[in-house]
């Protein structure tokens, strides 16, 4: 079942109307239209769908089916990234070659980047509806083709895909047995307000590349003495800096002007409401790059139009209008995962400590909210585990860990064999060569090292991050969800 990217590229232009054995799916999902059924090179069938659950909604879905004798009985769905709007079927190949049915969706943000402008149906699709309907359709296709539903269903999403992942556990607990949310953009509307905040500050303060590098290096030095050898002076395993440490960091770079120092304070503090002063989001994690956090402003176009002036938008009335329009559909902050837990679901979530695109703070705080809801850390870890990844930036780059384990193996062990991940084998590669391997332990534990013991887990503080004010979450309270379509 070997399938190359070149073979895939030629396949996507064929437009064949049915599989090689003449099969076409028959779906009960009213909003679904089959647009293509095509044989895959070296075996298997690709199905493509268009879903129109409402006027103004235009969701594309792709599903790959292994040959009947090669299916492993499982569904593995993949999340999208950024604003989505397209489907990269080349990403299916590693899963498909292991016998999985693979599915994904473009989240309905097609055919143009402006699809979400003034279109609440696209907001719903992007926030939750497209992922759920993709899952319903994929399971119908599986039953139609193989004569049975999947024995196990898994979902992995990164960034926007991580939002999809957490939303599935919150709203549709029956969809997946195992879910992996890596660097998830779940606190969506406050997160994008943080992007706007960062953009406006960086436009005003104009930090040079040399200054940014110097500030990152200073942050690494401040924490070097408390790090294990691979991280010391190179990255930060716990970027929860005190106010005193932040002031020490700001003072460490002599070339900063007074305006730049104040701008740096605002970057580290994060956005606050212009009228109430209440917290909208946390700030850039020390030790991470600035400019990656100044993009992804498309949600403001969705509300304020194609020609929105990002520098003119304020954090008072403009932020209130933006939050009222989008938060209920896009922000995945409900800590009540009781239904997902009850049906035996397992959820694994990660954050990168050098990630300024989706900073760790809101994700750590979400995990703390779930612990509060469940009642204890131990009970929470029975079905939901969180790992903080030292030195990982948003796209797996960064100065620290840049390779994590095979999520298929981790989640099938947990869901099917009852072996919860007590640690993750994390690695760093440099120039294609392995630099080091370090075990990472579930939050709140962290990795320690000694000559006598090697690597081992130690207790670390919980929480300690700044919580988003509840009025900036859906409908003024964490946990209110949109109507399930």
């Amino acid at each position: 079942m070997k399938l190359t990217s070149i073979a895939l590229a030629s396949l996507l232009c064929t437009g064949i109307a049915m599989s090689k054995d003449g099969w076409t799916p028959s779906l009960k999902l009213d909003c679904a239209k089959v647009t293509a059924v095509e044989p895959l090179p070296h075996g298997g069938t690709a199905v493509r769908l268009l879903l129109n659950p409402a006027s103004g909604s235009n969701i594309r879905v792709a599903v790959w089916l292994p040959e009947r004798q090669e299916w492993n009985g499982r569904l593995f769905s993949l999340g999208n990234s950024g604003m989505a709007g397209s489907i990269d079927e080349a990403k299916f190949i590693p899963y498909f070659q292991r016998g999985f049915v693979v599915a994904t969706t473009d989240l309905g943000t097609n055919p143009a980047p402006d699809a979400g402008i003034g279109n609440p149906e696209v907001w719903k699709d992007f926030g939750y509806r497209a992922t759920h309907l993709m899952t319903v359709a994929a399971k119908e296709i599986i039953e139609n083709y193989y004569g049975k539903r999947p024995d196990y269903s898994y979902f992995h999403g990164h960034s926007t895909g991580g939002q999809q992942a957490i939303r599935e556990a919150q709203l549709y607990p029956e969809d997946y047995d195992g879910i992996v949310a890596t660097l998830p953009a779940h606190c969506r509307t406050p997160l994008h307000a943080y992007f706007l905040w960062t953009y406006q500050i960086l436009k005003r303060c104009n930090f040079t590349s040399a200054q940014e590098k110097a500030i990152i290096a200073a942050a690494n030095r401040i924490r070097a003495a408390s790090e294990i050898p691979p991280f010391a002076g190179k990255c930060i395993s716990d970027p929860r800096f005190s106010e005193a440490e932040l002031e020490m960091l700001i003072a460490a770079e002599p070339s900063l002007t007074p305006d730049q120092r104040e701008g740096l304070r605002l970057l580290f503090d994060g956005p606050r409401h212009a009228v109430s002063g209440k917290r909208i989001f946390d700030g850039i994690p020390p030790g991470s790059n600035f400019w990656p956090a100044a993009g992804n402003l498309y949600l403001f176009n969705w509300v304020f139009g194609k020609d929105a002036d990002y520098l003119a938008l304020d954090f008072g009335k403009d932020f209130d209008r933006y939050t009222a329009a989008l938060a209920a559909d896009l922000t995945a902050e409900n800590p009540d995962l009781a239904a997902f837990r009850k049906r035996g679901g397992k959820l694994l979530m990660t954050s990168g400590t050098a990630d300024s695109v989706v900073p760790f703070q809101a994700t750590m705080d979400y995990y703390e909210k779930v612990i509060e809801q469940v009642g204890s850390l131990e009970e929470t870890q029975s079905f939901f585990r969180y790992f903080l990844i030292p030195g990982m930036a948003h796209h797996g780059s960064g100065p620290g860990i840049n390779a994590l384990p095979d999520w298929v193996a981790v989640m099938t062990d947990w869901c099917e064999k009852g072996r919860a991940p007590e640690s993750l084998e994390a690695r760093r590669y440099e120039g294609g060569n392995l630099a080091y391997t370090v075990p990472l332990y579930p939050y709140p534990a962290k990795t320690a090292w000694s000559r006598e013991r090697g690597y081992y887990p130690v207790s670390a503080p919980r929480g300690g991050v700044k919580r988003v004010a509840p009025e900036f979450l859906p409908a003024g309270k964490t946990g209110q969800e949109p109507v399930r379509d």
Side-chain angles (χ1 to χ4, degrees):
M1 205 161 38
K2 186 171 179 59
L3 184 62
T4 66
S5 296
I6 294 173
L8 172 63
S10 63
L11 163 71
L12 296 182
C13 299
T14 60
I16 300 170
M18 63 179 63
S19 68
K20 65 182 182 182
D21 61 3
W23 173 84
T24 56
S26 175
L27 300 180
K28 298 175 184 175
L29 190 62
D30 291 340
C31 65
K33 176 185 177 182
V34 177
T35 58
V37 181
E38 303 172 340
L40 290 162
H42 311 292
T45 300
V47 179
R48 298 184 187 87
L49 308 170
L50 181 64
L51 310 180
N52 303 113
S55 177
S57 174
N58 190 62
I59 304 164
R60 292 181 295 185
V61 171
V63 182
W64 281 18
L65 304 163
E67 297 286 5
R68 291 178 177 88
Q69 71 276 12
E70 295 179 341
W71 182 43
N72 65 15
R74 302 176 181 96
L75 166 66
F76 204 104
S77 296
L78 299 175
N80 216 302
S81 61
M83 192 171 57
S86 62
I87 291 175
D88 182 1
E89 293 185 33
K91 292 179 179 178
F92 288 15
I93 295 172
Y95 305 94
F96 182 74
Q97 290 179 335
R98 295 164 77 169
F100 288 93
V101 170
V102 193
T104 198
T105 171
D106 69 353
L107 290 179
T109 51
N110 69 81
D114 300 338
I117 293 177
N119 188 343
E121 296 304 330
V122 168
W123 307 347
K124 292 178 183 179
D125 293 338
F126 185 77
Y128 63 98
R129 185 166 59 188
T131 309
H132 174 59
L133 292 180
M134 168 204 75
T135 306
V136 172
K139 290 185 176 182
E140 278 197 35
I141 289 169
I142 288 170
E143 187 170 18
N144 207 254
Y145 188 71
Y146 299 105
K148 57 173 282 190
R149 295 177 75 78
D151 299 320
Y152 291 93
S153 299
Y154 298 96
F155 188 98
H156 174 218
H158 178 89
S159 191
T160 288
Q163 172 201 336
Q164 295 174 252
I166 292 173
R167 200 63 146 168
E168 277 290 300
Q170 293 169 345
L171 282 180
Y172 305 106
E174 68 280 4
D175 279 359
Y176 292 97
D177 301 286
I179 295 174
V180 178
T182 51
L183 284 55
H186 58 94
C187 195
R188 176 66 75 171
T189 46
L191 171 66
H192 283 248
Y194 152 85
F195 295 151
L196 181 67
W197 178 267
T198 305
Y199 175 84
Q200 291 183 353
I201 292 170
L202 293 181
K203 284 292 187 180
R204 289 198 310 268
C205 293
N206 194 29
F207 296 96
T208 67
S209 176
Q211 286 174 322
E212 181 183 32
K213 289 177 181 178
I215 293 163
I216 291 170
N220 292 337
R221 287 196 303 272
I222 287 170
R223 283 294 179 88
S226 63
E227 297 291 355
I228 62 176
F231 303 153
K234 298 176 182 176
C235 69
I236 298 168
S237 63
D238 183 353
R240 289 174 287 184
F241 272 41
S242 67
E243 293 300 323
E245 286 176 312
L246 289 175
E247 284 303 314
M248 187 187 310
L249 176 55
I250 292 167
E253 176 46 44
S255 71
L256 295 177
T257 67
D259 284 347
Q260 286 178 319
R261 292 184 194 283
E262 183 55 30
L264 199 52
R265 286 188 185 92
L266 293 172
L267 286 177
F268 287 139
D269 186 53
R272 293 177 180 269
H273 195 276
V275 178
S276 70
K278 291 185 177 181
R279 178 156 304 284
I280 295 171
F281 202 75
D282 216 317
I284 284 181
S288 64
N289 292 98
F290 301 167
W291 274 105
N296 296 299
L297 299 176
Y298 55 89
L299 293 189
F300 296 96
N301 298 108
W302 288 9
V303 176
F304 297 102
K306 183 176 181 180
D307 299 320
D309 183 348
Y310 302 136
L311 292 176
L313 293 174
D314 65 51
F315 288 85
K317 67 180 188 310
D318 290 337
F319 172 76
D320 292 342
R321 177 183 166 192
Y322 155 85
T323 300
L326 299 180
D329 289 327
L330 302 191
T331 301
E333 281 288 301
N334 186 350
D336 184 0
L337 301 177
F340 182 72
R341 179 189 182 192
K342 183 177 181 180
R343 58 93 68 201
K346 309 298 182 190
L347 175 58
L348 190 151
M349 184 171 70
T350 71
S351 293
T353 67
D355 184 4
S356 62
V357 178
V358 181
F360 75 97
Q361 297 99 316
T363 305
M364 180 180 286
D365 192 50
Y366 175 69
Y367 193 69
E368 286 290 336
K369 290 175 184 176
V370 175
I371 295 171
E372 293 168 12
Q373 181 82 21
V374 171
S376 74
L377 173 64
E378 183 179 9
E379 288 184 66
T380 302
Q381 288 188 333
S382 71
F383 76 100
F384 183 13
R385 299 198 172 195
Y386 173 51
F387 291 83
L388 200 57
I389 314 300
M392 178 170 277
H394 194 63
H395 296 291
S397 58
I401 299 299
N402 57 17
L404 292 170
D406 172 21
W407 297 124
V408 170
V410 171
M411 295 310 290
T412 54
D413 274 358
W414 195 5
C415 294
E416 300 177 28
K417 301 173 185 176
R419 296 199 291 257
E422 301 299 340
S423 66
L424 298 179
E425 184 180 87
R427 301 174 301 281
R428 177 169 180 80
Y429 289 91
E430 295 177 353
N433 299 313
L434 179 65
Y436 57 78
T437 301
V438 173
L440 303 179
Y441 302 98
Y443 170 89
K446 65 178 294 184
T447 305
W449 179 87
S450 70
R451 292 185 184 277
E452 297 76 22
R453 298 178 60 181
Y455 293 115
Y456 59 97
V458 295
S459 298
R462 279 179 45 193
V465 295
K466 302 161 188 171
R467 181 162 286 185
V468 175
E471 54 261 52
F472 305 142
L473 298 172
K477 66 175 184 176
T478 299
Q480 181 161 323
E481 300 294 355
V483 175
R484 290 159 56 108
D485 292 85

